[in-house]
Amino acid sequence: MKTVILAGGFGTRLSEETGVRPKPLVEIGGKPILWHIMKMYASYGHNEFIICCGYKGHMIKEFFSNYYLHSSDVIFDLKNNETQIINNSIEPWKVTLIDTGENTMTGGRIKRVKEYVGNEPFFLTYGDGVSDVNFNELLKFHNSQNTLATLSAVQQPGRYGAFNLEQDNNKIDNFREKPKGGTRETAWINGGFFVLEPEIFDYIKEDSTVWEREPMEKLAQEGQLSAFKHEGYWQSMDSLRDKTVLEEIWQEGNAAWKKW
């Protein structure tokens, strides 16, 4: 099953790092957070990725272009102009990198990779968040809901897209992107790990469409948006402070998202 990763934003709230690289390449433990996210999915057997590039997308392409070489032991025979790979621990990943435009919004980026996704369900996530969510359980839950979209619901009030969550049937009846305040009403937020049916492409009009607004709001209104409640670890790298926290957790050997 394919995983689409939104990796094209400017990352302005992490400008200390993103002035020289795209946010998904900001490193935790010497590896880009994008790598950590891909390792999370791969640990559950999902090894095919479609990455929506934008801001400094050429650097993401260069990372993967060099990744095989950097992950291998190599003999360079300079006299005969030969290169021999003698050992590698490379992941069995298939990575499709698509330039979705520097100023395209999240919905527009998703729409632009429609032909690479095909007519099948797919995972969607952002290129800046880690979690110990079980993706196979997320997929199983999605399949049981008979809705076009499922998101992972996590608890961190006041910063991200919040919604009303019915207690009995896990359906979201109202979705609002980044409401103000941190009241009980905003206890459950969008954790950014989705399972989507291909019909969701019909809810996205153009490059300027923000996925978290019109499409998700309409899906919620139509009863087509379900919530997979995740009470485990979740953290978005939204600021330099977040990066520092993630780095400290990794160095201490307490990274809950490391399932590999």
Side-chain angles (χ1 to χ4, degrees), residues 78-97:
L78 303 182
K79 180 179 179 181
N80 296 308
N81 192 28
E82 295 178 350
T83 301
Q84 181 182 356
I85 304 296
I86 56 176
N87 184 40
N88 76 73
S89 56
I90 202 72
E91 291 86 355
W93 295 346
K94 179 180 179 181
V95 185
T96 302
L97 300 160

Side-chain angles (χ1 to χ4, degrees), residues 13 31 65 70 78 100 175 195 206 219 234 242 248 253:
R13 284 177 289 185
K31 294 287 189 180
S65 176
H70 292 173
L78 303 182
T100 57
F175 185 90
V195 181
E206 54 195 2
L219 285 164
W234 176 87
D242 293 336
E248 290 175 352

Side-chain angles (χ1 to χ4, degrees), residues 59-181:
M59 298 183 70
I60 298 177
K61 294 176 183 177
E62 289 169 359
F63 170 79
F64 285 104
S65 176
N66 295 321
Y67 186 59
Y68 184 85
L69 180 64
H70 292 173
S71 301
S72 306
D73 295 330
V74 188
I75 296 175
F76 291 105
D77 185 339
L78 303 182
K79 180 179 179 181
N80 296 308
N81 192 28
E82 295 178 350
T83 301
Q84 181 182 356
I85 304 296
I86 56 176
N87 184 40
N88 76 73
S89 56
I90 202 72
E91 291 86 355
W93 295 346
K94 179 180 179 181
V95 185
T96 302
L97 300 160
I98 303 299
D99 182 1
T100 57
E102 190 165 289
N103 297 303
T104 307
M105 296 293 101
T106 50
R109 295 190 192 283
I110 297 168
K111 187 87 167 184
R112 286 206 187 192
V113 299
K114 177 181 178 180
E115 66 178 286
Y116 304 99
V117 171
N119 189 33
E120 60 187 51
F122 63 99
F123 290 109
L124 171 73
T125 192
Y126 304 99
D128 64 355
V130 291
S131 174
D132 62 355
V133 63
N134 184 314
F135 294 112
N136 289 344
E137 288 298 317
L138 172 61
L139 177 59
K140 181 180 178 181
F141 174 85
H142 170 77
N143 290 336
S144 73
Q145 295 300 297
N146 296 314
T147 57
L148 297 181
T150 296
L151 60 75
S152 53
V154 299
Q155 293 181 302
Q156 186 171 339
R159 292 178 61 190
Y160 303 96
F163 45 82
N164 296 330
L165 183 58
E166 298 177 11
Q167 294 299 316
D168 297 330
N169 61 11
N170 297 307
K171 296 297 190 301
I172 296 170
D173 61 10
N174 177 273
F175 185 90
R176 291 178 295 123
E177 174 65 3
K178 293 184 177 67
K180 295 181 180 179

